[in-house]
Amino acid sequence: MFGYCYRVSPQKMVAVYLVVKVTKMMLSILIMSVYAVAVAHQVLSFIGTYMVFYIIFLIFETRFFFHFEIKHKSNRYKYK
């Protein structure tokens, strides 16, 4: 999806990235809320574990998009 967006409109990559991040955060909050309502015990341990994995994944995802952007910028300048 990001590759397609970058080819079609590279100026909107930041907006697309932010929309995806906000959507992911809202979905995560929804999942944690549903779990808290459905399973009343050990909610804090689930939320703590979920947040740790969320932050770890966020770090790896940010590194990926950082390298993705560098790669596409270097390819763009190479072929001009």
Side-chain angles (χ1 to χ4, degrees):
M1 179 177 103
F2 287 102
Y4 173 76
C5 179
Y6 194 83
R7 284 190 306 270
V8 172
S9 179
Q11 299 84 8
K12 294 185 180 181
M13 276 298 288
V14 173
V16 170
Y17 179 76
L18 290 175
V19 167
V20 169
K21 289 295 176 187
V22 169
T23 304
K24 179 181 166 188
M25 185 176 56
M26 296 303 240
L27 185 61
S28 295
I29 291 171
L30 178 69
I31 289 170
M32 287 189 290
S33 300
V34 168
Y35 181 84
V37 170
V39 180
H41 62 86
Q42 298 181 348
V43 174
L44 291 179
S45 62
F46 170 75
I47 290 175
T49 305
Y50 194 91
M51 291 307 295
V52 166
F53 281 112
Y54 182 85
I55 291 170
I56 290 170
F57 186 73
L58 185 66
I59 290 168
F60 284 115
E61 193 175 31
T62 303
R63 287 188 66 225
F64 167 77
F65 284 113
F66 179 73
H67 293 294
F68 177 83
E69 187 69 24
I70 289 174
K71 177 183 165 192
H72 280 286
K73 280 185 180 182
S74 68
N75 285 343
R76 184 174 55 194
Y77 293 127
K78 189 185 304 182
Y79 294 114
K80 280 190 175 183

